[in-house]
Amino acid sequence: DTADKRIALSNNYAGNSWRQAMLTSWETVTGQAVADGTVAAADAFTTAENQVTEQAAQIQNLILQGYDAIVINAASPEGLNGAVKEACDAGVVVVSFDGIVTEPCAWRIAVDFHEMGKVQVEYLATRLPDGGDLLEIRGLAGVFVDDAISGGIHEGVSENSQFAIKGSVHGNWAQDVSQKAVAGILPSLPEIKGVVTQGGDGYGAAQAFKAAGRDMPIIVMGNRQDELAWWKEQKDATDYQTMSVSIAPGVSTLAFWVAQQVLDGKDVPKDLTVPFLTITQDTLEDNLATTQEGGVANVEYSLEDAQSVINEAM
Amino acid sequence: MSLLQKPWIWSWIGTLAVCLVIIGISGLGAGTQVLSAALSFGTFFVIVAIGQMFVVTLGPGNVDLSIPACMTLASTVAMKVMGGSSTMLLPGLLIAIAIGTIIGLLNFGLIRLLRIPPIIATLSSSFLFQSTAIWYNRGLRVKPPEPLADFATAKLAGVPLLAILVLVLTVIMHVILHHSLFGRAVLAVGQNSRAASLAGIKVERTRLLTYLTSAVLAAICGFFLAGFSGGAALNMGEEYLLMSIAVVVIGGTSVAGGFANLPGLWGASLFMFLLVTMLNTLGLSAGIRLILTGAIIVGVIAISGRRGRT
Amino acid sequence: MTDRSAIVRLNGIGKSFGAVQALRDVTFHVAPGECVGLVGHNGAGKSTLMNILSGVLSPDTGELLFGDQDLAARYSVAAAKQNGLRCVYQELSLCPNLSVAENARITHPTIRGIGWRRKAATLITTWLDRIFPGHGIGPGDIVGELSIARRQMVEIARAFSATQTPVRLVILDEPTSSLDKASADQLLSFVGRFTETGGSVILISHMLGEILDSADRIVVMRDGGVVAEDATAAFDRARLVREMGSVLAEDAATPTAQARRQTDRVIVLPGENGIPLEVFKGEIVGLAGIGGQGQTDALLTLFAAANGTRNHAEITTEAAFVAGDRQTDGVFPGWSIRRNISIASIRQMVQHWLIDARKELGLAQDWQTRIGIRTEDLSNPILSLSGGNQQKVLFARALGSPAPVVLMDDPMRGVDIGTKQDVYAILKDEAAQGRSFVWYTTEMDELKHCDFVYVFRGGQVVSGLPRHQVTEANILRASFDAAAAA
Amino acid sequence: MIARLLTPHSLRTLLPAVSLAALLAAIFYLQPRTMSYFGLNLLLNLAVPIALATVAQMFILCVNDLDLSLGAFISLTACITATWLHDTPLLGALALAGCVLAYAGLGALIHLRNLPSIVVTLGMSFVWMGIAVLILPTPGGKAPDWIRSLMTLKPALIPFPIIALVVLGGIVQIALMRSAPGVVLRGAGGNPQSVARAGWSILRVKMIMFGLAGLFGVLAGMALVGLTTSADANIALRYTLLSIAGVILGGGEFTGGRISPIGAVIGAVTLALAGSFLSFLRLNPDWQIGAQGAILILVLALRVIINRTAAKS
Ligand SMILES: Nc1ncnc2c1ncn2[C@@H]1O[C@H](COP(=O)(O)OP(=O)(O)OP(=O)(O)O)[C@@H](O)[C@H]1O
Ligand SMILES: Nc1ncnc2c1ncn2[C@@H]1O[C@H](COP(=O)(O)OP(=O)(O)OP(=O)(O)O)[C@@H](O)[C@H]1O
Ligand SMILES: [Mg+2]
Ligand SMILES: [Mg+2]
């Protein structure tokens, strides 16, 4: 019984639509859970700046406030270990998701970022049997997720030797930054067949290609609505085909249920995996229809979903 | 004063050098395309940097850190109000400008009434504006009206239309800086605000107008940037914080206050864009790229070495 | 005083700044136990010569002899100090963020270790007491919060204070320009005592009386060269002025007092003890009293009121301000002379939203000739001017503005006698045309040009003296004697 | 005695301490748990690296310069600490010493070429970050054990962060404000010309001040790694603005060598606690970021209220 338990969400960034969707999902699902009396409280906390140090301080404050469990989307997989250790020592359950932490005492709901990179190249291999030149748009230098996805992409390319990465820019997971970086490098690149991305940057890349008057390559999309809408537009106009890989922001709700289960005394393995969200040519319309204008394609999880993820991992 | 002694010349020399390297690597055709892209993107830096320049010229400690938040708030609200409808274009622009005005007034109020040092006043207020933007539409990315997007991306003979307009704005601001009362007042306050006040300059009015200019230009920049990149995002202004300062100082404006120039803003904006592009084109790793970016900036500044000014 | 015994000799010194030849072939020496008076018009090259002597500037040509050794090639501030030379520069040279004692420590590297604060405090207080008894400065006071006069006292005391190397020669570059009469007298009498004990002093001043009273020998400079040099006895006021290149005007203090106090009243500053400060149209009103008794504050209050800040002053017109503390209150260091002049009149230069550059230049040229600013080109930076010429720029700024009231905060600091006479004439002229002046000064000679004088003490007007009552005795009485208020 | 302490003038100098005390009181009221040894420890331990960074920035501000690269520099030193210093202590120590020297060199460059420090440090921030990314492309590394145990020390009675902060403030206060050489260093901020005319080398002063900033930057990086146990290339970017805000909050000014080391430490702690205070308030997530701004404004607004009272009396 967890009716008197209090769970906190520690979030390190709120400055993009993905994080906003994540917070909205959290609010919807946990709000219901609190109303139903499943837990006593489920408060969300966000730091003013996306920094390890601030989040570490935040976690320490949450410990002081006596939360029973802290659900973390971490700014860094290692940098919070000190604070997480303190939380565990104080008897607080720590569940990390999306940005996971490596401290052994915490639970991890991981996305296989490496795989997320690799499937993009594998998809391109099916579409472009003859291969060709690729452009890679990376995230933010020095951040774990960027490194993991890029690692997957490069592994994919080395396994599919018909592809070569001709250019690589950092788009910081933002449309306008990606647009600018791609526009700068594009003139000096040969014909680009495909663009491998990290999500949130596909639309910016498309804009840059359009502005430069180049042939539109296959741009792997993320889950922002504008990316999907652009894809739909192109699909209707020129039968443009691509795919989208991303993480559903609603994974925060899965983490919530996992924390609830741990508090309930259930035996939960420390490492859980969620599949990433894949949208194909066929599921595009359905996903687009359920995605809010300007928002992010999303999935929210229920207690049952969480239980089945746990059981799978057993 | 010979050309080489102009404070802005070094940003242009840097731009030229980087340009030559890019042409050397990718050929003349690619070079001109890169230049066109540089104009497109550099334009946005220039808009905010003009405002930042006037603020920095007010003297030590004056800097506007609320530019990114102002861009975000003004453009998210404007985009949502317009809701993609082209008839709402003008109201949208006016709303963006109104928000810029309010932000400028607020910043100045904090600085003047609460006597908070500008750097902290604008940093603190930027958190408030960012929160307001989040609260207002939770980070949804609303598409700009079609005509706005077309306008923001339009080109005249390969030259971005917006760049031409901002060039006109630059010339106007140049005249204001060097040949108008307001400009004279800003330069005077930046050198010695006590003396300025005793010479009959309305120091506080000058400060107010300066912070207002900065915020309104940031709002306008946000508005057109949203049009250019297909919508307003919560993080759209992030890189404009450092960039607006970098462009101003690399362009030769003195952080000690009292000296400013506008040609340097264009030189520095193009330089910053081309530098990143050049390093991207060279295909270097992120670490090396960052190191070279920094080393080249420091190098350009060190060579230009403004020794005369103490 | 043979040549042999000279502490230092300068031979054939030349120095140019760009096109300006500041010094040409100057020969100069100082003997032990001697006070050398150095006079010359603004921009004559006095400060430049002293900067060379103290190692701040290096000469383009010439010799710098200590004994028989020519040090010109390897001379520096440190070498000057080594040889017992100290300098009180014309512009403030203290650290405003440090306390008085800490500033003393800056020039005395040997004050260190445990208890250094006490040592430094004792040292500077001792010398302050010795030179300016009753100075009222604490060793812990922060210099930036002191009045300009007190800063000057600290700087002078610091220059004379000695720890290990004995002080053999102290250069005083216009030390009295910011001091009131009483403190200036204290300093000069100390200089007398100092030279009696074998020390030497170079005294630069535009107050010729001081030079004639204190110096043993006088050197006159004009346009970068020495034009006369002789024992003091050989000079009188008229000769000094002549050698400097001006003529001594007749004391043209013609009374205009009869008509005064009947025109429009342009200023009222009510006083707590009942004596309001009033200024009428076309009047020159002096503010007297010992330095730092609230005169500058009164001027600032008036200026603020004229600019729309509501306070207890009533002022019916615009006002312009001539700063005395030119470094902090006056000069725009990055601007040309032209811009420094035009700034207070800039609103009148606007045509079609823009500043008319021709009008601006016209104004500057007009005043350059009227007040005699010595420069080749008005586009030169203001800091290329000598101190006195910078002060003239501030005058030109205020006089050139259209403001009917001009507030002047001891504005003649460092202005040479020739120029002073010109300025007095301009003031008279402008007053006759209906301009009013409020003039804080510590100089008796200057008060004689005023139609009415208010004496300040403790931040208040304690006495108002019409022109015929303006005598040294009356002013001193009001300045020191509380009963005079009645 | 009490009456003397409460005059507006002394209030103004005590202002940083007063606002810190008010903030602490509010936190204790909201969350009594923080009033324990354990609570204070958690509340204050991350203030230690911030305070070190603020002191580093203070050295730079003292000579009229501004360091926009401090955050990146601390990230770099954190990366070095978590990698080389852990794996090959000698190499790590050399690299960190090299960092300090590089900072001193920066001071020399800025002085000799008379460069605006803002641009130079802005450029250097890219350089530091680039080196950090090369050393640690992805977050990781491990804090050397001795640093980890130092930072998690549990002395009897008084929590370690409090001791560290007091010692830090005290040492720098004595060295800079009370010692004879400190006077020259501050004087160079107030009027470099005058200090030079007294025979001191401004070049030396700048190199010492930048070197000290580098040293304290290194210490901040090490302390940070001691708390977080590992590093990444972006770990301390925020410290740039935080350190500037801390110095100002503590009563320092941008020019003229007017600084206060104790004030800077207090300012840093105030900033660190402001965040905690807010999280104890449990605000709506939308407004959590804005509230950080509001509290900064509030703390600084105290200043004007007290100044107003001072002006009236
Ligand atoms: N840094 C400089 N750059 C250019 N010209 C200078 C500089 N310093 C002094 N001069 C010029 O050198 C000449 C001598 O100046 P100096 O300051 O020695 O005069 P001064 O005799 O001390 O005058 P004052 O009585 O006004 O102080 C002046 O013409 C002045 O304009
Ligand atoms: N008449 C003008 N038209 C256009 N630009 C001008 C004009 N005058 C000056 N500038 C520009 O203004 C900037 C500042 O120049 P400067 O400070 O020399 O102006 P100024 O009016 O000549 O003032 P001053 O000579 O008093 O300093 C330079 O970039 C210069 O190119
Ligand atoms: Mg002089
Ligand atoms: Mg000119």
Side-chain angles (χ1 to χ4, degrees):
Chain A
D1 179 43
T2 55
D4 59 343
K5 301 290 188 194
R6 295 162 62 239
I7 300 177
L9 169 67
S10 162
N11 173 39
N12 62 311
Y13 185 59
N16 62 25
S17 48
W18 194 93
R19 290 294 174 122
Q20 285 300 326
M22 180 191 96
L23 289 169
T24 311
S25 294
W26 174 272
E27 218 174 282
T28 328
V29 171
T30 65
Q32 191 57 43
V34 173
D36 295 347
T38 318
V39 292
D43 305 319
F45 295 89
T46 293
T47 57
E49 295 197 43
N50 181 12
Q51 289 281 302
V52 173
T53 46
E54 269 201 77
Q55 195 172 17
Q58 186 190 54
I59 292 170
Q60 296 181 343
N61 292 327
L62 297 178
I63 303 170
L64 282 172
Q65 293 185 52
Y67 282 99
D68 300 291
I70 303 176
V71 173
I72 301 177
N73 189 346
S76 154
E78 312 256 356
L80 293 172
N81 284 353
V84 170
K85 185 78 176 43
E86 269 156 0
C88 296
D89 291 349
V92 180
V93 169
V94 178
V95 178
S96 63
F97 69 97
D98 185 37
I100 51 162
V101 297
T102 54
E103 170 57 46
C105 73
W107 277 260
R108 274 165 295 281
I109 301 176
V111 178
D112 192 343
F113 288 113
H114 192 84
E115 184 63 18
M116 222 175 110
K118 200 166 161 187
V119 294
Q120 300 186 32
V121 185
E122 281 162 0
Y123 168 76
L124 289 178
T126 63
R127 293 285 313 285
L128 305 165
D130 297 339
D133 293 331
L134 304 183
L135 169 64
E136 182 192 12
I137 304 178
R138 301 187 55 161
L140 203 58
V143 175
F144 153 76
V145 176
D146 167 58
D147 219 52
I149 298 181
S150 180
I153 288 172
H154 282 260
E155 189 179 304
V157 169
S158 65
E159 282 172 15
N160 296 278
S161 54
Q162 69 274 36
F163 290 113
I165 294 181
K166 283 287 160 164
S168 167
V169 295
H170 281 266
N172 301 4
W173 299 305
Q175 299 286 19
D176 46 345
V177 181
S178 313
Q179 185 183 358
K180 176 158 45 184
V182 174
I185 197 175
L186 211 47
S188 43
L189 293 180
E191 191 191 352
I192 294 297
K193 290 284 191 193
V195 180
V196 281
T197 65
Q198 299 202 351
D201 37 21
Y203 181 72
Q207 296 272 84
F209 272 90
K210 188 175 131 200
R214 305 268 291 225
D215 289 343
M216 197 58 72
I218 300 173
I219 302 173
V220 179
M221 291 292 164
N223 57 354
R224 308 291 201 277
Q225 189 261 350
D226 52 13
E227 291 176 289
L228 301 181
W230 179 85
W231 175 8
K232 172 86 172 72
E233 231 171 66
Q234 301 298 309
K235 180 183 174 186
D236 294 345
T238 62
D239 195 31
Y240 184 78
Q241 292 189 22
T242 183
M243 74 174 304
S244 145
V245 284
S246 61
I247 312 147
V251 64
S252 62
T253 59
L254 181 66
F256 168 75
W257 289 119
V258 169
Q260 188 266 342
Q261 289 290 297
V262 176
L263 287 176
D264 204 20
K266 298 276 163 28
D267 187 16
V268 179
K270 284 281 160 88
D271 285 288
L272 305 168
T273 324
V274 280
F276 42 78
L277 184 64
T278 308
I279 300 171
T280 63
Q281 200 73 6
D282 303 327
T283 57
L284 173 62
E285 278 80 4
D286 293 344
N287 274 289
L288 194 55
T290 56
T291 305
Q292 193 182 2
E293 177 89 20
V296 179
N298 197 1
V299 181
E300 274 159 14
Y301 295 84
S302 63
L303 178 59
E304 291 72 33
D305 294 332
Q307 281 163 342
S308 70
V309 167
I310 292 169
N311 288 335
E312 255 172 55
M314 290 296 239
Chain B
M1 194 153 67
S2 84
L3 201 60
L4 269 183
Q5 281 167 329
K6 296 276 183 200
W8 45 262
I9 195 70
W10 293 96
S11 59
W12 282 98
I13 292 178
T15 304
L16 196 71
V18 174
C19 223
L20 289 178
V21 173
I22 292 178
I23 290 174
I25 301 170
S26 330
L28 195 60
T32 47
Q33 281 177 45
V34 171
L35 212 57
S36 166
L39 276 175
S40 294
F41 291 95
T43 300
F44 294 105
F45 289 152
V46 172
I47 302 176
V48 289
I50 291 175
Q52 186 73 280
M53 182 194 77
F54 275 89
V55 171
V56 166
T57 306
L58 282 180
N62 281 290
V63 64
D64 187 352
L65 298 185
S66 71
I67 283 178
C70 179
M71 288 170 65
T72 306
L73 182 62
S75 58
T76 39
V77 175
M79 292 305 130
K80 189 165 167 188
V81 167
M82 294 189 292
S85 135
S86 35
T87 51
M88 291 295 287
L89 208 52
L90 192 63
L93 179 63
L94 290 179
I95 281 172
I97 291 175
I99 288 174
T101 310
I102 293 168
I103 287 179
L105 286 173
L106 261 169
N107 281 339
F108 179 74
L110 292 178
I111 294 166
R112 169 88 179 121
L113 299 178
L114 296 185
R115 304 284 152 88
I116 302 179
I119 198 166
I120 304 187
T122 52
L123 178 69
S124 316
S125 67
S126 78
F127 289 147
L128 286 171
F129 307 143
Q130 186 74 16
S131 254
T132 314
I134 290 176
W135 162 80
Y136 184 70
N137 80 338
R138 313 247 26 194
L140 297 183
R141 200 175 149 97
V142 184
K143 279 225 165 345
E146 200 68 31
L148 175 60
D150 292 345
F151 176 81
T153 50
K155 290 195 179 179
L156 258 174
V159 182
L161 181 60
L162 212 52
I164 297 173
L165 292 180
V166 173
L167 197 65
V168 174
L169 176 72
T170 315
V171 172
I172 293 173
M173 292 315 252
H174 176 96
V175 172
I176 288 180
L177 179 69
H178 291 288
H179 304 282
S180 82
L181 264 179
F182 172 63
R184 202 54 82 84
V186 170
L187 294 172
V189 172
Q191 291 179 62
N192 186 342
S193 66
R194 235 184 109 81
S197 135
L198 289 173
I201 303 267
K202 305 268 183 263
V203 174
E204 295 308 334
R205 189 188 299 169
T206 307
R207 287 218 174 101
L208 166 67
L209 276 176
T210 307
Y211 279 91
L212 214 54
T213 308
S214 173
V216 168
L217 285 176
I220 291 175
C221 179
F223 184 80
F224 286 109
L225 184 60
F228 182 80
S229 61
L234 283 179
N235 54 354
M236 65 188 286
E238 256 165 29
E239 62 166 345
Y240 285 75
L241 180 64
L242 271 190
M243 209 47 97
S244 66
I245 300 172
V247 165
V248 169
V249 288
I250 292 174
T253 290
S254 159
V255 281
F259 300 90
N261 75 85
L262 283 123
L265 299 185
W266 275 100
S269 295
L270 297 178
F271 175 67
M272 290 305 287
F273 179 87
L274 291 171
L275 182 58
V276 173
T277 299
M278 175 185 86
L279 296 173
N280 275 340
T281 311
L282 288 172
L284 303 167
S285 82
I288 304 280
R289 246 161 27 201
L290 284 167
I291 294 175
L292 284 177
T293 309
I296 291 173
I297 291 175
V298 175
V300 168
I301 294 300
I303 292 172
S304 73
R306 296 167 201 132
R307 305 180 117 263
R309 211 171 276 163
T310 44
Chain C
M1 276 182 266
T2 62
D3 286 353
R4 280 255 155 260
S5 67
I7 297 175
V8 60
R9 303 182 56 84
L10 302 178
N11 253 341
I13 295 289
K15 175 79 189 171
S16 329
F17 299 98
V20 180
Q21 176 107 35
L23 293 176
R24 57 191 98 215
D25 193 23
V26 173
T27 298
F28 183 81
H29 78 277
V30 189
E34 172 184 48
C35 173
V36 182
L38 183 57
V39 296
H41 61 76
N42 291 134
K46 306 179 293 294
S47 299
T48 307
L49 187 65
M50 293 306 110
N51 281 335
I52 287 174
L53 195 50
S54 63
V56 171
L57 293 174
S58 53
D60 299 339
T61 57
E63 298 176 317
L64 235 160
L65 295 163
F66 284 86
D68 293 331
Q69 263 187 312
D70 178 12
L71 294 185
R74 53 206 156 87
Y75 198 58
S76 67
V77 176
K81 271 186 83 181
Q82 208 68 51
N83 283 295
L85 247 78
R86 299 289 181 79
C87 187
V88 173
Y89 297 94
Q90 189 173 6
E91 310 294 342
L92 174 79
S93 191
L94 296 170
C95 299
N97 58 328
L98 301 183
S99 72
V100 171
E102 287 172 335
N103 266 290
R105 144 73 189 157
I106 295 270
T107 45
H108 292 292
T110 51
I111 301 184
R112 56 168 178 237
I114 312 276
W116 70 269
R117 295 186 149 257
R118 212 167 2 88
K119 278 188 247 168
T122 317
L123 180 74
I124 193 74
T125 314
T126 309
W127 283 93
L128 274 170
D129 289 344
R130 217 171 271 176
I131 307 175
F132 302 105
H135 50 81
I137 302 168
D141 293 353
I142 300 297
V143 164
E145 291 164 10
L146 296 177
S147 69
I148 185 167
R150 289 191 165 163
R151 293 200 300 252
Q152 188 76 27
M153 292 183 198
V154 173
E155 196 157 357
I156 292 168
R158 185 176 78 159
F160 280 101
S161 66
T163 39
Q164 283 181 341
T165 25
V167 178
R168 299 167 66 201
L169 168 61
V170 177
I171 300 167
L172 299 172
D173 193 348
E174 300 192 26
T176 56
S177 64
S178 308
L179 297 180
D180 59 33
K181 179 95 173 69
S183 318
D185 287 345
Q186 288 178 333
L187 171 65
L188 295 175
S189 83
F190 174 79
V191 166
R193 279 176 278 148
F194 182 71
T195 48
E196 268 163 32
T197 57
S200 307
V201 168
I202 300 175
L203 178 65
I204 300 179
S205 177
H206 291 292
M207 319 267 180
L208 300 182
E210 292 176 0
I211 298 282
L212 289 167
D213 288 349
S214 310
D216 300 313
R217 185 160 59 89
I218 297 180
V219 176
V220 184
M221 291 186 70
R222 185 156 94 199
D223 296 329
V226 172
V227 290
E229 180 181 357
D230 213 333
T232 305
F235 288 99
D236 61 8
R237 211 177 153 77
R239 175 169 174 214
L240 278 182
V241 174
R242 195 158 9 92
E243 300 283 8
M244 283 163 65
S246 324
V247 273
L248 195 57
E250 281 302 299
D251 196 357
T254 45
T256 54
Q258 311 321 333
R260 63 170 301 280
R261 304 257 133 181
Q262 270 143 38
T263 49
D264 298 337
R265 201 168 61 167
V266 288
I267 289 178
V268 188
L269 182 68
E272 269 169 37
N273 57 6
I275 306 182
L277 193 164
E278 294 174 304
V279 180
F280 293 80
K281 191 162 183 274
E283 200 177 37
I284 302 178
V285 168
L287 308 184
I290 35 179
Q293 294 295 308
Q295 298 95 331
T296 302
D297 288 341
L299 290 176
L300 290 174
T301 306
L302 292 178
F303 184 77
N307 276 281
T309 308
R310 233 176 291 157
N311 56 33
H312 53 284
E314 276 174 47
I315 180 163
T316 55
T317 61
E318 273 181 70
F321 196 93
V322 184
D325 186 350
R326 59 177 166 269
Q327 269 177 310
T328 46
D329 293 350
V331 159
F332 295 101
W335 269 353
S336 61
I337 301 163
R338 166 164 57 85
R339 286 192 171 194
N340 264 289
I341 293 177
S342 67
I343 185 70
S345 332
I346 204 74
R347 236 168 281 140
Q348 279 64 48
M349 317 251 146
V350 174
Q351 229 167 28
H352 311 297
W353 299 82
L354 297 182
I355 296 166
D356 185 339
R358 260 170 320 167
K359 268 195 191 169
E360 193 187 356
L361 187 62
L363 175 91
Q365 280 169 340
D366 184 21
W367 281 96
Q368 182 187 16
T369 42
R370 275 187 80 179
I371 209 164
I373 298 166
R374 285 176 188 251
T375 181
E376 315 270 285
D377 184 352
L378 287 168
S379 301
N380 283 339
I382 176 111
L383 291 187
S384 72
L385 290 180
S386 74
N389 278 303
Q390 289 177 27
Q391 195 63 41
K392 291 186 209 168
V393 169
L394 301 191
F395 255 115
R397 179 191 293 170
L399 295 176
S401 84
V405 169
V406 179
L407 308 168
M408 307 192 287
D409 178 19
D410 205 355
M412 297 292 185
R413 284 174 223 201
V415 176
D416 67 33
I417 181 149
T419 309
K420 268 184 197 169
Q421 292 177 352
D422 296 345
V423 173
Y424 299 152
I426 295 172
L427 295 189
K428 285 248 153 68
D429 194 30
E430 298 269 327
Q433 290 172 34
R435 242 186 187 184
S436 312
F437 293 87
V438 185
W439 184 358
Y440 163 45
T441 171
T442 50
E443 290 303 312
M444 197 53 221
D445 289 349
E446 295 179 2
L447 289 175
K448 292 204 174 112
H449 295 273
C450 298
D451 300 314
F452 201 88
V453 170
Y454 290 99
V455 184
F456 274 69
R457 186 155 43 79
Q460 291 295 327
V461 174
V462 289
S463 172
L465 302 171
R467 180 189 196 89
H468 57 276
Q469 290 177 18
V470 178
T471 60
E472 186 139 17
N474 277 342
I475 288 176
L476 278 179
R477 191 165 343 108
S479 305
F480 290 102
D481 180 11
Chain D
M1 179 68 203
I2 300 272
R4 252 225 335 259
L5 269 181
L6 286 181
T7 61
H9 181 77
S10 55
L11 265 183
R12 214 174 333 171
T13 44
L14 285 176
L15 188 63
V18 170
S19 46
L20 176 61
L23 194 59
L24 257 181
I27 288 177
F28 288 160
Y29 172 76
L30 282 175
Q31 191 50 263
R33 248 182 277 225
T34 52
M35 233 183 308
S36 61
Y37 182 98
F38 170 74
L40 283 171
N41 206 16
L42 276 191
L43 207 55
L44 289 171
N45 61 11
L46 275 163
V48 174
I50 299 179
L52 285 163
T54 306
V55 168
Q57 184 70 261
M58 185 195 70
F59 285 119
I60 307 249
L61 280 174
C62 182
V63 284
N64 299 333
D65 286 317
L66 190 66
D67 187 356
L68 291 185
S69 72
L70 193 59
F73 179 74
I74 294 174
S75 304
L76 169 63
T77 60
C79 287
I80 294 176
T81 306
T83 52
W84 295 347
L85 194 63
H86 177 262
D87 306 332
T88 47
L90 186 64
L91 177 66
L94 279 178
L96 290 177
C99 286
V100 176
L101 287 182
Y103 245 66
L106 218 53
L109 177 73
I110 286 172
H111 175 70
L112 290 175
R113 303 284 304 163
N114 192 15
L115 306 177
S117 55
I118 290 200
V119 209
V120 175
T121 54
L122 194 73
M124 288 313 291
S125 71
F126 291 100
V127 175
W128 304 136
M129 192 128 107
I131 302 175
V133 168
L134 286 183
I135 293 178
L136 210 55
T138 178
K142 197 156 171 17
D145 293 330
W146 61 274
I147 296 180
R148 178 77 186 142
S149 33
L150 178 70
M151 291 310 292
T152 50
L153 211 58
K154 298 253 156 40
L157 296 174
I158 305 173
F160 173 72
I162 295 182
I163 298 176
L165 290 166
V166 169
V167 168
L168 169 68
I171 288 180
V172 181
Q173 179 83 17
I174 289 169
L176 207 53
M177 307 302 283
R178 308 291 302 181
S179 83
V183 168
V184 178
L185 299 178
R186 281 185 295 131
N191 187 346
Q193 204 181 30
S194 137
V195 173
R197 281 175 178 177
W200 303 95
S201 155
I202 299 294
L203 175 66
R204 262 240 311 271
V205 169
K206 286 252 173 169
M207 288 180 70
I208 291 174
M209 289 306 249
F210 273 78
L212 281 171
L215 175 67
F216 279 84
V218 167
L219 292 178
M222 292 169 64
L224 184 55
V225 169
L227 291 170
T228 59
T229 69
S230 72
D232 70 60
N234 301 312
I235 192 163
L237 294 187
R238 184 177 135 67
Y239 281 11
T240 302
L241 282 178
L242 214 52
S243 64
I244 298 172
V247 177
I248 302 297
L249 209 56
E253 287 173 25
F254 283 99
T255 52
R258 291 195 178 80
I259 42 115
S260 152
I262 290 186
V265 171
I266 291 178
V269 175
T270 308
L271 284 174
L273 288 185
S276 307
F277 171 71
L278 290 175
S279 77
F280 295 139
L281 282 181
R282 292 198 202 147
L283 298 164
N284 175 327
D286 285 354
W287 291 104
Q288 281 171 9
I289 295 176
Q292 310 245 1
I295 194 154
L296 265 179
I297 293 171
L298 212 67
V299 171
L300 280 156
L302 261 182
R303 215 199 270 238
V304 74
I305 295 167
I306 290 176
N307 279 346
R308 285 261 164 83
T309 350
K312 274 205 194 106
S313 60

